[in-house]
Each structure stands twice: as C-alpha cells, then as structure tokens.
Amino acid sequence: MSFWKKVLGQEDLSPEELSKREEEQAQKKAQRDAQAKVIRAEADRKREERRLEKEKRKEAEKQSMERFLGPNPGFFRKSAYSLNKETFQYVENHILDIDEKVLAIIEAEYDKTSKREIKGILFALEDRLLFAFVRGANQYFEEFDYAKMKGISLHKDGLSSKELYIDYNRSRKKFDDIIDDEHFKFFLHAVNKKIIEYRGHKTTKQSKTTTKQTHAANENKYEQLEKIASLKEKGILNEEEFRREKEKILNN
C-alpha cells in the first residue's frame, strides 16, 4: 500500500470487505442520527414544558390580578400589582379563603408608630379590612374588624395624596401616601358601606338579645303564676296569700 493511500484512508480491500465497512459506517451513522433525534425530542419536550409552565403562570397571574384589581386594570394598576406581587401572592395563597371576595385595594403607608412606617396594601374584604406587606423575609399583617370601626376621616397629604384615619376601638389608625384618584374613592365607598352594614348587624343583634331576655322573663313569670295557682288549689295558700304572691310576681 502506498503512503498516500494510508494518508487518505484508502486500502486495498476486497469487495466483501468494502461492503462490510460501508455497512458498519451506515450503522454508526444511523446510531448517531437516532441519538441526535432523541436529544432533539428531549429538547423539544423541555421547551414545550417551559412554554406551558410560562402560560400557566401567566394565566394564574392574570386571574390573580383580576381578583384584586377587577377586569381590564389600567397601566398604573398593573404596575402597582407587579411592584407588590409578593404581597398579593402571599395574601391570596395564605390569608384569603378560596371564595373570599376582594371589594377594593389601595397602596398605602401604615404609620404603625411615630418611628415605624410600613408601605404596603390595604385590602377591603367582605368581613374585614386587611393591611399587608411582604418583601422577602420581611412581612407584616394586621386585620381590622368593620364592627369595631367608629368612623373614617381624610386629610390632605401633599398635592395629590391623602391621609386616611380610621377610629378603631379606642385608637386611631393612620395611613398616608394614598393617591387621591377614583380607585381611592371606590375604596372609601366600599369601606363606609361595610361599616354601616356591620353597625346595623350590631344593633339588630342587641335588639334580638333584649327581645330574647324579655321573652325568657315573661316565661318565668308564667311558670311562677302557675305554681302559686297550684298551691292555692291544694289549700296551701289562702286567697289573701295568693293575691299577695301574684302581685309580687307581676310587679317584679
């Protein structure tokens, strides 16, 4: 065999040997093609999984945003959601009930103390007002019962912002840095409506309690009258004693 044949990989082979070599090369190529096909299929599968997962997250975020902000929120509301996404997601996944309705939300800074101000979200819910803040490991939550709210008042906080004061039990809660827009007005309307609603519930409950107590007292009088009437029939009480006991029961 010449030097150049060795360099070019050409050998003096019989037709059978050439055929065998070509067959082996074809098998190796088929194996490489099969392996490449498997790799491409796996890559396509992972790519599709990522696409579906992305669409799933996008749809979940859309539903979450709609739950908190309503349908078709504007650019600034979407931006507020994105900036406070951790807070919204935590509230939805760990605080709200599955079917709990969100009436309205606003961004606000809660002046917890003179030295502690917490910027977060105020949620007006069906049965409570919730303030929440979540940023990594830093979290703060506080709930306010509508039935314990005595009223709310507003003060100016700069040119386009408001301060919100809530008279709660014997304290006053202050929230500021609130943008004075239609969303804030809607929030105030929802909260005021709930305060009035729960105040009515409280009055109705007290009225029912008083009625129940009166009814119980009347039933007790009837039982006592029946008792002294029975004693009179048995001769244990005479007419005068019966009359005196009867007057005591009715005047009690």
Side-chain angles (χ1 to χ4, degrees), residues 2-252:
S2 69
F3 171 77
W4 291 111
K5 283 187 176 182
K6 288 183 178 180
V7 171
L8 297 174
Q10 297 176 349
E11 302 176 9
D12 294 326
L13 300 175
S14 64
E16 291 81 6
E17 290 174 327
L18 284 173
S19 177
K20 184 178 180 181
R21 172 176 286 186
E22 289 173 357
E23 185 179 345
E24 289 174 350
Q25 290 175 346
Q27 289 176 352
K28 288 179 181 180
K29 184 178 182 303
Q31 289 175 354
R32 289 194 300 271
D33 291 344
Q35 289 174 351
K37 186 177 180 180
V38 170
I39 292 171
R40 284 196 302 273
E42 181 65 15
D44 291 342
R45 184 186 65 80
K46 290 182 178 180
R47 187 162 46 252
E48 180 65 10
E49 283 183 353
R50 288 194 297 269
R51 186 187 68 80
L52 292 174
E53 185 62 28
K54 185 178 179 180
E55 286 187 359
K56 185 178 178 181
R57 287 197 304 268
K58 188 176 180 180
E59 181 61 26
E61 184 173 314
K62 180 182 176 183
Q63 291 178 1
S64 175
M65 190 180 297
E66 186 170 326
R67 182 180 188 183
F68 289 111
L69 307 180
N72 304 316
F75 172 77
F76 292 106
R77 297 283 277 178
K78 287 182 178 179
S79 298
Y81 180 91
S82 298
L83 291 172
N84 298 277
K85 187 182 292 186
E86 285 184 89
T87 300
F88 284 107
Q89 289 179 343
Y90 190 96
V91 168
E92 183 169 34
N93 295 329
H94 302 287
I95 296 181
L96 298 186
D97 295 331
I98 294 176
D99 298 325
E100 190 167 5
K101 186 178 179 181
V102 179
L103 304 178
I105 69 103
I106 57 170
E107 292 182 276
E109 184 176 78
Y110 180 23
D111 293 355
K112 178 65 177 173
T113 65
S114 59
K115 296 182 179 180
R116 188 181 184 192
E117 299 177 340
I118 310 167
K119 198 164 186 67
I121 304 293
L122 264 174
F123 299 84
L125 308 175
E126 279 286 350
D127 62 349
R128 57 194 161 147
L129 187 67
L130 169 70
F131 178 81
F133 162 77
V134 179
R135 190 66 54 82
N138 299 315
Q139 301 178 357
Y140 183 83
F141 308 97
E142 189 168 345
E143 294 184 359
F144 307 96
D145 188 347
Y146 291 123
K148 296 179 181 179
M149 295 182 187
K150 298 178 181 178
I152 58 179
S153 58
L154 303 175
H155 294 279
K156 285 187 177 180
D157 185 23
L159 295 175
S160 60
S161 298
K162 290 285 188 181
E163 292 178 347
L164 169 66
Y165 292 88
I166 300 176
D167 293 318
Y168 190 75
N169 277 341
R170 297 182 179 179
S171 64
R172 173 169 264 205
K173 308 296 182 180
K174 178 185 176 183
F175 302 88
D176 55 20
D177 286 353
I178 302 171
I179 299 175
D180 187 16
D181 58 9
E182 70 276 9
H183 300 297
F184 181 47
K185 291 179 176 64
F186 182 78
F187 176 88
L188 289 176
H189 175 74
V191 173
N192 271 316
K193 187 176 179 181
K194 279 296 173 182
I195 292 174
I196 294 170
E197 178 184 326
Y198 273 75
R199 191 178 294 157
H201 286 171
K202 186 177 180 181
T203 303
T204 303
K205 186 177 180 181
Q206 289 174 343
S207 176
K208 286 182 178 179
T209 301
T210 303
T211 303
K212 188 176 180 181
Q213 290 173 344
T214 302
H215 183 67
N218 288 335
E219 285 188 344
N220 188 39
K221 284 184 179 182
Y222 296 146
E223 290 176 359
Q224 291 179 21
L225 288 172
E226 288 179 357
K227 184 177 180 180
I228 64 172
S230 176
L231 292 174
K232 180 186 174 185
E233 289 179 1
K234 293 177 181 178
I236 298 175
L237 296 178
N238 59 35
E239 187 65 33
E240 182 62 23
E241 290 172 333
F242 173 74
R243 186 184 61 77
R244 286 199 302 269
E245 291 298 324
K246 182 179 178 181
E247 287 179 356
K248 288 180 183 179
I249 293 170
L250 293 176
N251 294 329
N252 186 14

